[in-house]
Amino acid sequence: MVNKQESLMAAITFFAKAHAGEVCGSNGLPLTPNSIAILGRSQKLKELRHSNLCQYLDVIRGKHERTVVVSEYHGTTLQEKCKDKLNNDLILRLFYQVASALKELNEHKLVAHNLEPKHILLDAYNNVKLFNYGLFYMTKSGDHVAFPIGNIKYMPPERLVGIKNNCKSDIWSLGMIVAELLLQTQFWPNLKISSISRKILSFCQSSNVFEKIAREHDKLEMYQELDPDLRNLVEQCLAVKPTDRPLPQEILNHPLFVRNLDLYLVTPKEKSSTLLLRMPLEQIYYWWQLAGGDVQAELKKEGLIRSEAPILSIPQVVCLNGNIAGPKRSQSYLMDDRVVILKMQNLLDRLSKIPAMAYYPLIHSPKFPYNFGVGMDQLPLVIREKDIEYQFYRVRLFSRLLQGYPYTSETIRKEAAIDIPPLLRGQIWACLLDVIPNGSYEKIDKFTPTSTDRQIEVDIPRCHQYDELLSSPEGHLKLKRLLKAWVTAHPQYVYWQGLDSLTAPFLYLNFNNEELAFHSVYKFIPKYLQWFFLKDNSAIIKEYLCKFSQLTAFHEPVLAQHLSNIAFIPELFAIPWFLTMFSHVFPLHKILHLWDKLMLGDNSYPLYIGISILKQLKSTLLASGFNECILLFSDLPDIVMENCVVESQKMYESTPKSIAHRFHVVREKELGPFDITPDVTLAHLQKEMSPRISANDLHFMLRNDPNAMLCLDIRSVSEFNRVHLPDSINIPFSNINMDEKSLELLNEPLLEEKMHNRIIICISNVHENAVEFSKFLVECGVSRVCILHQGFNILHSIEPNILVSN
Amino acid sequence: MATTPRSGGSAGGGTAQRPNGTSQSKSCQFKLVLLGESAVGKSSLVLRFVKGQFHEYQESTIGAAFLTQTICIEDTVVKFEIWDTAGQERYHSLAPMYYRGAQAAIVVYDIQNQDSFQRAKTWVKELHKQASPNIVIALAGNKADLSNIRVVEYEEAKQYAEENGLLFMETSAKTGMNVNDIFMAIAKKLPKNDGANNQGAGAGRRLNENENNRQTTNCCK
């Protein structure tokens, strides 16, 4: 059944129980499909790493409540193996290693409840791994499936009367399995389930179950010849009262094992000669998918997923209570516990040309960053994300870099600017946000009821619910904990609707690492949304939106003009954009790409994203009136994220920092006299259509890239002649006729050509004049117009002198 | 917030949306605002009215959303410009921006939630105090499909509505019950000046937004 060389991963599938009849709960909301609940619960299992447990890799929802579970798998099942007689040492080894697996499960408060020989795998070194041990947990003690979990033969008596979730139940099963091996027989091979259950229940009156079974199977002699210690331990495992059975740890400490421990411990495997097989399994699985691996297709091939013509299953009568009369329920919906091995050959072929170096890239080597995947970084992002080779290089590189974090932050930042491999996005974002988990999340109170709870509770079931993980009960619980923790950790702030959307991407990416999700939000908010969550945030939001209008005028003067003419103010549409950093307006997959870039920028970056959205809709907006514009935004049409990202990046890079200056930000450096000074108030911003530029930025451009700007000096001719900036143009304000919006009236030859592609800085000594003039330029459609903050006089103070005179 | 999005019918310089071939009928535009506690179903009511849809997991509204819908009553074409506001108390400071200049308001509560009914009463009070004096207010007890687990009694709400001169209906955005009806009832109650059948003459006319003019701005075309 299993091809030894190739087996590494396998899939099983089953159906979750469909909700009968009623589709809505008492609150009027639809009941969560059980398969979604399973999906949410099963995530935790993926985190288990233990040498005696098969690693869970993925849980997929198929059609009609189907669940597919992908996990590690290799070697032979005990069921196969025990067809031959096993020697005593091997039985002991198995006993020990399964107990060791049970100990790990117990520590995570998991009970397998389906321990049986076919779920015990042995590899070539006779190392033991449990398989499919999470089924009981992920189905919420079996509540979410219609079939019973576990093989009745190995069930303890208490389980038959409905007691579950006690790890001692697994100890009984282990006892039964070992007993079978020791007695070299299969118990009750021909009994019906009902008879087996009667047998098991009858054990309740027995004082020694092991002996009773041995007697029953004519194996009493064999039983009596067993090592008394071993026999005794098995008898303890098969104690009728769960409390009399040993804990996994007690089995592991038993003298029986301790005296020859080396025989029973896991033998370390030789390192595989195939480099790929040394990689973390979750990465291998990820590449396997990129190499064209499709779990559901594999299951179809094996006949585990059978599709039937829907018409054959249409009911003839459906009663109002949900009962259905019609064709018999298809057999393909029944539980089929076959295991399907996922073949590796295709992946191995695809990666055969990868140089060994790429598996473990040396980041401090002079050859770094090598030439892996060279040229591919020019391909569109969506293609890069699906390219197996490219993702191989990226995942390996970032795995390496993440191991070195925080010492590698700079390289991580640099590489992240190229792109971020989706598999590691959550961790990489955390690095970009300078997160260093310190255990503080655990200590935050997430449970005491607060006045915010009601709001959080009504918001969560509406937050990105199209996503399977976020709509699962587990997802709801986690999001609630995160939000409550954030509110508790910030007594100075309050919960504003929108915080839920903002937190969701972090939870989505770090579903199994709430702490990382929490710290990421914790760092993200001050970086981009400082003071937005104050109880009274109006000053912050007003400043933000004013700056947004100014920057729109700066980059898109014609559009800004139009929007201003139709009174289409950002207050009406942009609050959810910025308050949630677009996480409320776009679906998750779009937010991820947007935030990949956002994380690399500073607090002004989101403003450029906003403008790039306007820019994409420009032609429609220009042709529309107020109603059409606002309707367009109520139902934001398909924004192409890639363009949006490229555009915002361009604007972000080409705009001097002071242009986007806001007062309400966390500042790393104190502002100096040549920066935008704090005396610029909201009232100023509201009056000025164009943003101000600082003397510092002007000076910087003058020295480094004077062709990037054009200074329009609107002082009088005499003032200009006395002293001015080199290459500046004098257009005396008093001579300007601004009645008609035309540059020609300025009487400056070739002005338009000179302005092309430059930042236009209006300089005056009378600030109001500069404001008026800049507005005129914007109205003439001139882009990138700004005003020199503090006017011409500030330039006198710059040393060494930058001014010249005629 | 000092800015008013637009009071009903004020010219936006944009294209006027008038149904064609209605030369006989009058056409009016009204600005309508939805107010009420969070998660009572404001957005769902609008969505049902405008698009005939219902989303179980309707996303929360941040700030506000805007939609329009046109209906006919008798010989009048009525266009609603609907501002659907955020329910969370914290967004309260934004609300005046939306109800200022509105000719109609629907205050929504959830019949399963007593607090939301109390909140609705507060909204009514605020509207009486702050909004246009002639504003038509309707009270909607939403989620009527869940009347088996109701907390707010029909009679109680009805009496309150009568005492305060409100239109009242229990609605269900989920089933569609009374959704169109409540908008229709509002449209009927809104004054449609006879003098307003001067079609075309008023197109593009820029209207003042001050209180005195509000009455006449109801019917712009």
Side-chain angles (χ1 to χ4, degrees):
Chain A
M1 180 170 100
V2 172
N3 181 342
K4 263 191 190 171
Q5 283 87 50
E6 278 194 21
S7 60
L8 188 61
M9 305 181 297
I12 56 165
T13 182
F14 57 86
F15 283 100
K17 196 160 45 176
H19 292 297
E22 279 291 302
V23 285
C24 284
S26 60
N27 58 359
L29 284 176
L31 295 169
T32 309
N34 282 325
S35 57
I36 294 260
I38 292 173
L39 187 80
R41 287 179 71 84
S42 58
Q43 298 306 311
K44 166 179 160 176
L45 296 168
K46 291 203 247 174
E47 292 307 299
L48 291 178
R49 298 281 189 282
H50 187 267
S51 45
N52 296 118
L53 294 174
C54 285
Q55 185 184 336
Y56 274 92
L57 294 167
D58 198 9
V59 177
I60 305 161
R61 269 183 88 220
K63 278 185 193 159
H64 312 300
E65 289 295 271
R66 177 185 291 284
T67 298
V68 178
V69 181
V70 183
S71 106
E72 180 182 5
Y73 192 94
H74 43 68
T76 322
T77 63
L78 178 61
Q79 196 177 24
E80 289 282 308
K81 191 107 174 173
C82 72
K83 284 177 183 160
D84 310 319
K85 177 182 178 304
L86 304 188
N87 69 41
N88 237 25
D89 273 341
L90 181 54
I91 298 174
L92 279 174
R93 185 179 168 89
L94 206 132
F95 197 165
Y96 183 86
Q97 293 196 12
V98 173
S100 160
L102 293 180
K103 174 172 172 265
E104 178 72 10
L105 292 182
N106 190 27
E107 275 167 14
H108 288 93
K109 302 195 172 62
L110 298 169
V111 183
H113 273 315
N114 65 351
L115 197 55
E116 58 173 307
K118 72 175 177 198
H119 291 154
I120 298 175
L121 307 181
L122 292 118
D123 67 8
Y125 302 88
N126 284 325
N127 288 330
V128 174
K129 273 185 200 275
L130 291 197
F131 174 72
N132 199 13
Y133 50 86
L135 185 63
F136 188 77
Y137 172 77
M138 70 170 79
T139 57
K140 199 176 179 196
S141 308
D143 289 354
H144 296 327
V145 287
F147 54 86
I149 291 174
N151 182 336
I152 190 155
K153 210 164 90 173
Y154 302 97
M155 281 184 197
E158 76 271 11
R159 176 93 199 278
L160 299 187
V161 295
I163 295 169
K164 46 198 181 184
N165 280 318
N166 182 343
C167 82
K168 296 291 182 70
S169 168
D170 289 344
I171 298 290
W172 169 286
S173 310
L174 174 58
M176 283 299 259
I177 292 166
V178 174
E180 267 192 338
L181 294 174
L182 289 172
L183 300 182
Q184 294 165 32
T185 185
Q186 284 198 25
F187 299 154
W188 316 302
N190 303 316
L191 283 191
K192 282 190 297 191
I193 288 180
S194 54
S195 321
I196 296 179
S197 65
R198 227 169 292 134
K199 282 253 185 255
I200 294 173
L201 287 171
S202 74
F203 290 148
C204 292
Q205 277 130 23
S206 159
S207 58
N208 188 336
V209 174
F210 192 16
E211 187 191 357
K212 189 175 171 188
I213 299 177
R215 207 183 286 277
E216 196 183 300
H217 288 82
D218 284 332
K219 299 278 181 179
L220 193 59
E221 216 169 297
M222 219 182 231
Y223 164 80
Q224 280 158 344
E225 281 165 10
L226 288 174
D227 173 352
D229 276 352
L230 175 57
R231 192 175 62 207
N232 188 266
L233 186 58
V234 175
E235 281 165 2
Q236 280 179 39
C237 291
L238 295 176
V240 172
K241 276 169 73 181
T243 45
D244 293 343
R245 293 174 212 152
L247 284 164
Q249 184 64 57
E250 290 169 318
I251 298 177
L252 298 178
N253 291 341
H254 197 278
L256 191 64
F257 301 111
V258 175
R259 50 186 185 230
N260 262 327
L261 205 53
D262 285 347
L263 280 178
Y264 312 127
L265 288 175
V266 172
T267 321
K269 277 192 220 173
E270 267 177 54
K271 283 190 175 166
S272 168
S273 59
T274 313
L275 280 173
L276 178 69
L277 300 182
R278 296 192 202 171
M279 301 292 112
L281 204 54
E282 63 276 15
Q283 295 185 2
I284 298 180
Y285 174 65
Y286 179 63
W287 298 321
W288 179 85
Q289 289 173 295
L290 290 180
D294 177 347
V295 181
Q296 301 211 47
E298 298 291 323
L299 292 174
K300 266 183 205 150
K301 254 187 248 165
E302 294 295 322
L304 260 135
I305 296 180
R306 278 178 282 168
S307 41
E308 285 162 7
I311 197 158
L312 296 177
S313 55
I314 288 177
Q316 284 153 348
V317 180
V318 180
C319 306
L320 287 175
N321 63 10
N323 288 339
I324 288 171
K328 253 202 236 153
R329 208 154 158 256
S330 157
Q331 292 289 306
S332 59
Y333 282 86
L334 296 179
M335 171 67 179
D336 183 341
D337 64 356
R338 272 180 297 162
V339 177
V340 173
I341 302 298
L342 304 180
K343 297 190 185 65
M344 299 288 294
Q345 200 51 49
N346 195 21
L347 175 63
L348 289 167
D349 292 348
R350 289 294 301 272
L351 293 180
S352 60
K353 292 197 186 70
I354 300 274
M357 203 53 181
Y359 285 85
Y360 297 100
L362 297 173
I363 51 178
H364 292 297
S365 141
K367 284 188 195 153
F368 183 78
Y370 312 101
N371 282 330
F372 300 147
V374 76
M376 278 170 142
D377 47 359
Q378 301 305 318
L379 295 171
L381 183 61
V382 277
I383 304 223
R384 273 178 276 157
E385 285 193 348
K386 297 274 182 254
D387 187 279
I388 161 85
E389 274 184 47
Y390 187 73
Q391 284 306 311
F392 181 88
Y393 295 130
R394 298 301 281 169
V395 166
R396 286 316 299 160
L397 173 63
F398 273 104
S399 303
R400 200 72 172 182
L401 291 172
L402 288 170
Q403 280 166 352
Y405 178 78
Y407 306 102
T408 47
S409 333
E410 230 172 274
T411 324
I412 291 179
R413 201 162 276 278
K414 229 193 271 123
E415 289 295 330
I418 301 171
D419 57 35
I420 293 178
L423 182 70
L424 302 171
R425 184 175 271 131
Q427 289 174 65
I428 296 170
W429 278 10
C431 296
L432 297 177
L433 291 167
D434 299 319
V435 168
I436 298 182
N438 52 11
S440 58
Y441 179 65
E442 215 182 331
K443 295 180 198 136
I444 300 173
D445 178 6
K446 310 163 200 75
F447 301 99
T448 308
T450 66
S451 54
T452 313
D453 290 359
R454 195 246 161 202
Q455 190 65 50
I456 291 179
E457 267 159 29
V458 298
D459 285 346
I460 287 176
R462 308 189 276 168
C463 178
H464 292 290
Q465 291 301 293
Y466 52 87
D467 179 70
E468 294 174 337
L469 279 182
L470 294 179
S471 67
S472 69
E474 201 67 25
H476 285 190
L477 274 177
K478 281 171 185 280
L479 187 52
K480 184 174 171 188
R481 281 200 293 265
L482 282 170
L483 292 173
K484 280 184 70 94
W486 190 88
V487 173
T488 311
H490 296 89
Q492 72 276 36
Y493 294 142
V494 295
Y495 174 83
W496 279 84
Q497 267 187 320
L499 187 65
D500 51 336
S501 308
L502 193 64
T503 308
F506 292 107
L507 173 60
Y508 171 80
L509 291 178
N510 303 296
F511 200 77
N512 278 329
N513 193 342
E514 254 176 76
E515 178 170 31
L516 201 62
F518 174 78
H519 285 290
S520 301
V521 183
Y522 190 90
K523 291 277 195 169
F524 182 87
I525 288 177
K527 191 169 175 189
Y528 298 103
L529 292 163
Q530 176 71 339
W531 297 310
F532 266 68
F533 292 91
L534 280 174
K535 196 167 181 191
D536 180 6
N537 61 6
S538 56
I540 293 92
I541 292 199
K542 278 180 193 162
E543 185 198 28
Y544 205 96
L545 297 177
C546 263
K547 195 36 100 173
F548 178 58
S549 299
Q550 283 192 342
L551 284 171
T552 312
F554 186 77
H555 285 288
E556 287 294 326
V558 177
L559 189 56
Q561 265 286 104
H562 173 68
L563 298 182
S564 148
N565 284 343
I566 60 171
F568 188 65
I569 53 172
E571 274 79 357
L572 299 175
F573 63 91
I575 292 175
W577 290 11
F578 297 122
L579 185 74
T580 70
M581 285 296 128
F582 306 94
S583 60
H584 193 75
V585 278
F586 291 124
L588 278 168
H589 69 273
K590 289 191 171 181
I591 298 164
L592 298 183
H593 285 152
L594 197 60
W595 284 17
D596 276 354
K597 288 284 177 261
L598 172 66
M599 298 275 172
L600 297 163
D602 65 15
N603 63 67
S604 68
Y605 196 90
L607 292 161
Y608 301 109
I609 299 176
I611 299 171
S612 69
I613 293 175
L614 293 182
K615 221 171 159 173
Q616 245 182 66
L617 302 172
K618 188 173 172 180
S619 55
T620 319
L621 289 173
L622 282 177
S624 307
F626 179 89
N627 278 6
E628 295 76 20
C629 285
I630 195 92
L631 281 173
L632 195 63
F633 283 133
S634 286
D635 207 6
L636 209 59
D638 295 326
I639 297 288
V640 183
M641 273 303 134
E642 187 134 9
N643 295 354
C644 191
V645 165
V646 172
E647 280 297 329
S648 49
Q649 187 77 20
K650 253 196 248 164
M651 286 187 274
Y652 175 70
E653 282 165 6
S654 68
T655 313
K657 287 279 164 265
S658 60
I659 300 258
H661 169 92
R662 286 184 301 122
F663 179 69
H664 294 109
V665 294
V666 184
R667 228 175 282 289
E668 282 164 17
K669 230 172 61 192
E670 284 287 301
L671 290 171
F674 299 112
D675 291 309
I676 305 283
T677 43
D679 53 312
V680 183
T681 61
L682 183 66
H684 289 113
L685 289 179
Q686 283 167 337
K687 263 187 263 159
E688 298 164 11
M689 191 163 196
S690 294
R692 302 184 184 202
I693 188 169
S694 70
N696 259 343
D697 276 343
L698 182 146
H699 188 197
F700 180 85
M701 277 197 285
L702 189 68
R703 271 184 313 176
N704 298 294
D705 193 6
N707 289 330
M709 64 172 189
L710 179 69
C711 294
L712 299 184
D713 194 327
I714 57 171
R715 295 172 305 148
S716 66
V717 178
S718 59
E719 283 172 305
F720 183 81
N721 284 342
R722 207 174 309 135
V723 63
H724 57 259
L725 278 168
D727 296 323
S728 59
I729 296 176
N730 186 219
I731 304 175
F733 185 73
S734 49
N735 301 353
I736 306 171
N737 172 6
M738 293 197 264
D739 296 341
E740 213 174 303
K741 308 300 173 204
S742 161
L743 290 177
E744 279 166 28
L745 296 176
L746 295 177
N747 281 328
E748 178 65 34
L750 299 175
L751 185 60
E752 248 183 299
E753 283 76 7
K754 287 177 189 162
M755 283 178 163
H756 185 67
N757 251 337
R758 295 190 187 207
I759 292 173
I760 314 299
I761 306 178
C762 305
I763 304 177
S764 174
N765 267 336
V766 185
H767 183 70
E768 288 65 33
N769 292 354
V771 172
E772 205 176 321
F773 181 60
S774 66
K775 184 164 186 275
F776 166 76
L777 290 177
V778 172
E779 284 166 349
C780 292
V782 179
S783 60
R784 305 216 261 169
V785 177
C786 56
I787 305 163
L788 177 62
H789 176 56
Q790 292 177 313
F792 188 83
N793 285 341
I794 187 77
L795 302 176
H796 287 295
S797 320
I798 294 180
E799 285 180 352
N801 177 45
I802 52 171
L803 301 173
V804 293
S805 56
N806 278 1
Chain B
M1 302 260 169
T3 354
T4 302
R6 270 169 44 124
S7 54
S10 77
T15 50
Q17 291 185 326
R18 256 169 297 122
N20 294 328
T22 52
S23 55
Q24 295 305 98
S25 60
K26 293 179 283 186
S27 94
C28 302
Q29 279 189 50
F30 296 110
K31 176 178 166 185
L32 181 148
V33 61
L34 276 102
L35 300 164
E37 172 77 274
S38 199
V40 295
K42 296 179 293 298
S43 305
S44 294
L45 281 176
V46 181
L47 191 70
R48 172 61 79 186
F49 175 58
V50 173
K51 298 190 181 166
Q53 297 171 350
F54 178 72
H55 298 163
E56 307 277 4
Y57 303 106
Q58 178 65 39
E59 283 159 22
S60 56
T61 307
I62 293 176
F66 179 83
L67 286 159
T68 60
Q69 174 68 310
T70 308
I71 54 172
C72 291
I73 14 172
E74 290 150 17
D75 62 340
T76 314
V77 178
V78 175
K79 180 172 177 188
F80 280 113
E81 297 177 343
I82 306 166
W83 284 98
D84 170 25
T85 64
Q88 193 188 10
E89 172 64 28
R90 299 198 196 294
Y91 286 96
H92 192 156
S93 62
L94 293 178
M97 176 160 85
Y98 301 106
Y99 66 63
R100 194 178 298 129
Q103 288 99 9
I106 303 183
V107 177
V108 189
Y109 69 92
D110 171 358
I111 63 162
Q112 309 174 77
N113 183 328
Q114 188 65 44
D115 289 346
S116 72
F117 185 51
Q118 295 312 317
R119 183 93 186 92
K121 290 181 181 174
T122 326
W123 275 120
V124 171
K125 254 186 230 151
E126 177 166 340
L127 286 175
H128 279 150
K129 233 191 270 170
Q130 314 273 352
S132 334
N134 298 312
I135 189 167
V136 173
I137 306 176
L139 181 68
N142 195 32
K143 308 198 187 178
D145 52 295
L146 300 172
S147 65
N148 54 337
I149 47 168
R150 73 161 66 236
V151 176
V152 182
E153 289 307 325
Y154 180 83
E155 287 306 325
E156 183 191 355
K158 183 152 181 59
Q159 192 188 339
Y160 169 78
E162 276 166 10
E163 285 165 6
N164 289 276
L166 318 174
L167 288 166
F168 171 66
M169 280 184 201
E170 282 196 349
T171 57
S172 166
K174 186 172 176 177
T175 64
M177 170 187 142
N178 279 346
V179 175
N180 288 346
D181 309 61
I182 199 163
F183 282 91
M184 285 295 247
I186 293 168
K188 280 186 189 146
K189 209 172 161 189
L190 283 164
K192 291 164 284 293
N193 296 6
D194 286 340
N197 52 2
N198 51 343
Q199 281 222 306
R205 173 165 55 117
R206 196 168 271 272
L207 292 154
N208 297 324
E209 291 184 9
N210 62 45
E211 290 293 327
N212 302 340
N213 247 357
R214 195 138 289 139
Q215 213 32 61
T216 54
T217 61
N218 286 348
C219 306
C220 49
K221 280 134 207 167

